[in-house]
């Protein structure tokens, strides 16, 4: 029995939507340090919610009223921290006003040092009390993370600063700090952009795109030039937030020596930092950089500075005469200089390099080679081999029923070869991310779960085909439906999985180009499927038996079959060419990242 071809089009648009919340119960202790919810997306800029307090001064033991208000939100997380060291642990403890909306959490060793939501019920206003501890710092600032929806949230919204009596005002303290830094490490403005001259001969350079020049191009550029016992470093890129590079012993973020150029109110601050895991960088209280200069023109941020090759007094600074992977990242920064997670994968060198060794001029990649290979194999399997194999099995049985290949009907052999190729490509591709990650990824959202489901269905499909009943067996019809539904489900889930995978940081294809192209491929496949289905229906209507006075008039079946064969072969050729175009487009995009 032939299965209805239009059913694929119907099935294609019958996927269900499921929403999953990260911490609906408010138990967010995992975010005590970073205050970042694990929702798999980047925080928003320009907060919509505000924190207010009922006073500006406090003494140990005082109780301060804290309010969080704004448009409807589902989740929140409030802490108080040392205003001079916002990366330090939470200070003080909280008291609740409404236990239905808020709950106390213990961050670190301080009991009740944070407040969060109890459910994802919408709320506009939260009120709590903060109790100042006996060992409170001189100045304390309130911070809040607010979740409007699962993918829409703000991190570390700055609140008011309260201080103990006779504490210098924030303005005086800031002025004194900047003045001290300016005295010990002078900062100057670059009158003109630096250039790529000397790359590969006098200085070690990383450029993206390759051969670009920061003097005339809006590109990412990083150079190292050795001058006796120090290294002069230049960094440039299109960013109005921050640029940063890091030296790492591996291709993973964590335990790295980082250097940041951050745009804060149209002034660029250059500092060193230490990367601990996937948490925000820990800025150093002392700066080991000299000859600092910067420039911010037309959305391009440039900074340069000098650093000694060896810094024994700074334990977290790496020696520059060793070999490292080099990361180059960019991202957004708030007006107060707070930096946000880079919205795309950093540019990473393909190997380890010593910046004090032989000068080289290299590039990098924002996508690891194994992840690129994973994407390429999946696109080849699910855009070409499986799609063509399904079209052949569905519409070319009558066309190739009298042609044989290796002792079997040609349509069946072509279908089987293409499907086994799909199984092989999918299986190889499936293991590559596990090799790269060294295990399961917690940062990839639903993509790995759907990928495992597709892999299971891909293996199950040929195993089921191995037990296919004969043509006239009673269970053949049941087998046909199971075989069709399993294959169709695998194809739908594969498309959904590719949609999700294209926007993951490790394979961040150009957006929204990738989405529109994938939608175009789906529409192309469904359109060809519908066209061939209509053609088959018209052909059946054309070949009919008319009875008149017991004389049977039969339109030439042979000519109709020939006409149908030619049409289907033309459509198949066009379809294969179209799929090839889509595949080449995706492969070219992967090659560019």
């Amino acid at each position: 029995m032939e299965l209805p071809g239009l059913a694929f089009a119907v099935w294609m648009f019958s996927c269900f939507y499921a929403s999953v919340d990260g911490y609906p119960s408010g138990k967010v202790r995992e975010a005590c340090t970073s205050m970042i919810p694990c929702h798999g997306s980047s925080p928003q800029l320009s907060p919509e919610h505000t924190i207010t307090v009922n006073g500006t001064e406090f003494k140990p033991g005082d109780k301060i009223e804290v309010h969080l208000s704004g448009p409807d939100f589902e989740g929140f997380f409030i802490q108080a921290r040392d205003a001079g060291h916002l990366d330090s642990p939470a200070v003080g403890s909280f008291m609740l006003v409404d236990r239905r909306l808020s709950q106390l959490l213990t961050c670190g060793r301080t009991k009740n040092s944070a407040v969060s939501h109890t459910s994802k019920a919408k709320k506009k206003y939260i009120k709590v009390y903060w109790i100042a501890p006996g060992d409170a710092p001189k100045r304390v600032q309130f911070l809040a993370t607010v979740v409007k929806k699962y993918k829409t949230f703000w991190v570390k919204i700055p609140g008011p600063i309260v201080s103990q009596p006779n504490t210098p005002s924030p303005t005086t303290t800031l002025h004194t700090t900047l003045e001290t830094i300016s005295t010990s490490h002078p900062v100057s403005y670059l009158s003109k952009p630096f250039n790529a001259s000397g790359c590969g001969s006098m200085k070690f350079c990383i450029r993206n795109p390759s051969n670009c020049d920061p003097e005339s191009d809006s590109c990412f550029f990083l150079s190292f030039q050795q001058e006796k016992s120090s290294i002069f470093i230049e960094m440039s890129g299109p960013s109005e937030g921050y640029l940063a590079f890091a030296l790492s012993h591996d291709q993973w973020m964590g335990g790295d020596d980082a250097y940041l150029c951050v745009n804060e109110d149209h002034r660029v601050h250059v500092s060193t930092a230490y990367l601990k895991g996937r948490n925000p960088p820990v800025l150093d209280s002392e700066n080991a950089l000299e000859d600092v200069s910067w420039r911010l023109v037309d959305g391009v941020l440039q900074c340069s500075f000098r650093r000694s090759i060896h810094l024994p007094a700074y334990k977290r600074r790496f020696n520059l005469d060793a070999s490292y992977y080099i990361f180059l990242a960019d991202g957004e920064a708030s007006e107060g200089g707070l930096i946000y997670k880079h919205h795309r994968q950093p540019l990473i060198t393909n190997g380890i390099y010593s910046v004090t060794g032989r000068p080289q001029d290299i590039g990098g990649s924002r996508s690891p080679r194994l992840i690129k290979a994973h994407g390429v194999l999946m696109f080849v399997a699910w855009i070409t081999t499986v799609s063509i194999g399904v079209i052949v099995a569905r519409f070319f049985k009558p066309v190739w029923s009298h042609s044989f290949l290796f002792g079997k009907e040609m349509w069946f052999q072509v279908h089987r070869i293409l499907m086994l190729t799909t199984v092989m490509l999918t299986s190889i591709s499936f293991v590559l991310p596990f090799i790269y990650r060294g295990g399961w990824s917690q940062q990839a959202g639903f993509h790995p779960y759907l990928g495992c489901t597709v892999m299971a269905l891909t293996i199950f499909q040929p195993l089921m085909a191995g037990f296919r009943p004969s043509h006239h067996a009673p269970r053949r019809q049941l087998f046909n439906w199971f075989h069709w539904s399993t294959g169709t489900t695998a194809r739908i889930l594969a498309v959904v999985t590719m949609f999700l995978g294209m926007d993951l940081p490790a394979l961040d294809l150009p957006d929204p180009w990738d989405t529109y192209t994938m939608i175009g491929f789906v529409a192309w496949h469904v359109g060809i499927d519908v066209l061939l289905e209509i053609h088959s229906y018209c052909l059946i209507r054309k070949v009919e038996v008319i009875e008149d006075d017991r004389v049977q008039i039969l339109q030439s079946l042979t000519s109709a079959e020939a006409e149908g064969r030619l049409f289907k072969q033309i459509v198949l050729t066009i379809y294969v060419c179209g799929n090839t175009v889509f595949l080449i487009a995706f492969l070219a995009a992967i090659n560019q990242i």
Side-chain angles (χ1 to χ4, degrees), residues 80-96:
R81 295 189 179 184
D82 184 344
H85 303 281
L86 292 179
D87 291 319
S88 61
V91 298
S93 58
F94 287 90
M95 287 178 56
L96 302 180

Side-chain angles (χ1 to χ4, degrees), residues 173-417:
T173 304
L174 179 61
H175 176 76
T176 303
T177 303
L178 291 178
E179 192 176 67
T180 303
I181 294 175
S182 178
T183 303
S184 58
H185 300 290
V187 177
S188 62
Y189 183 80
L190 289 167
S191 59
K192 62 179 182 179
F194 40 74
N195 54 56
S197 62
C199 283
S201 58
M202 298 176 60
K203 54 187 180 183
F204 185 100
C205 297
I206 301 172
R207 296 194 267 180
N208 181 252
S210 59
N211 299 322
C212 71
D213 192 334
E215 186 175 29
S216 57
D217 302 324
S218 178
C219 64
F220 291 96
F221 177 86
L222 179 63
S223 71
F224 303 84
Q225 185 171 6
Q226 184 172 358
E227 298 175 355
K228 296 183 179 179
S229 61
S230 66
I231 298 289
F232 186 68
I233 301 169
E234 298 173 322
M235 181 163 52
S236 174
S239 175
E240 296 188 352
Y242 72 88
L243 285 176
F245 81 89
L247 306 175
S248 178
H249 296 290
D250 52 35
Q251 291 183 298
W252 296 100
M253 180 178 173
D256 306 327
D257 180 11
Y259 302 80
L260 297 88
C261 298
V262 184
N263 174 19
E264 183 177 349
D265 300 327
H266 303 289
R267 291 183 61 85
V268 177
H269 295 281
V270 182
S271 61
T272 56
Y274 180 74
L275 300 181
K276 187 177 181 181
R278 291 180 174 269
N279 297 316
V282 180
L283 299 181
D284 292 331
S285 57
E286 295 183 84
N287 206 334
L289 308 179
E290 300 175 346
D291 298 340
V292 177
S293 300
W294 61 271
R295 189 173 190 267
L296 183 61
V297 176
D298 297 330
V300 176
L301 191 159
Q302 294 188 335
C303 61
S304 61
F305 50 89
R306 186 184 310 281
R307 209 215 86 167
S308 297
I309 295 177
H310 299 96
L311 289 171
Y314 299 84
K315 295 182 179 180
R316 291 180 172 177
R317 301 281 72 81
F318 293 176
N319 292 332
L320 297 183
D321 54 0
S323 297
Y324 307 100
Y325 287 98
I326 304 173
F327 291 53
L328 181 58
D330 66 294
E332 302 290 340
S334 67
E335 293 182 358
L338 176 67
I339 67 172
Y340 296 94
K341 179 182 178 181
H342 42 83
H343 59 276
R344 58 177 174 173
Q345 187 86 348
L347 186 74
I348 307 175
T349 57
N350 294 321
I352 57 175
Y353 294 91
S354 172
V355 297
T356 57
R358 180 176 61 87
Q360 297 188 56
D361 188 4
I362 63 173
S365 174
R366 296 189 183 275
S367 180
R369 291 177 178 176
L370 287 177
I371 300 300
K372 283 186 175 183
H374 169 75
V376 167
L377 293 177
M378 285 299 187
F379 280 128
V380 172
W382 295 95
I383 286 183
T384 54
T385 58
V386 75
S387 301
I388 297 171
V390 168
I391 291 290
V392 167
R394 175 69 187 96
F395 298 105
F396 279 78
K397 288 181 184 178
V399 175
W400 292 341
S401 60
H402 302 297
S403 301
F404 293 88
L405 182 65
F406 304 125
K408 296 281 187 178
E409 292 177 331
M410 180 179 289
W411 74 266
F412 177 76
Q413 291 288 50
V414 171
H415 172 74
R416 182 161 63 178
I417 291 172

Side-chain angles (χ1 to χ4, degrees), residues 70-81:
D72 285 347
F73 55 96
E74 295 181 354
F76 67 92
F77 190 46
I78 302 174
Q79 284 186 4
R81 295 189 179 184

Side-chain angles (χ1 to χ4, degrees), residues 6-17 488 491-493 495-496 499 518-527 529-530:
L6 284 175
F8 174 75
V10 176
W11 195 305
M12 198 71 190
F13 297 99
S14 65
C15 299
F16 61 89
Y17 174 83
T488 304
R491 292 165 61 206
I492 293 173
L493 292 180
V495 170
V496 174
F499 265 112
M518 184 57 73
I519 291 174
F521 164 71
V522 172
W524 167 254
H525 178 82
V526 173
D529 196 276
V530 171

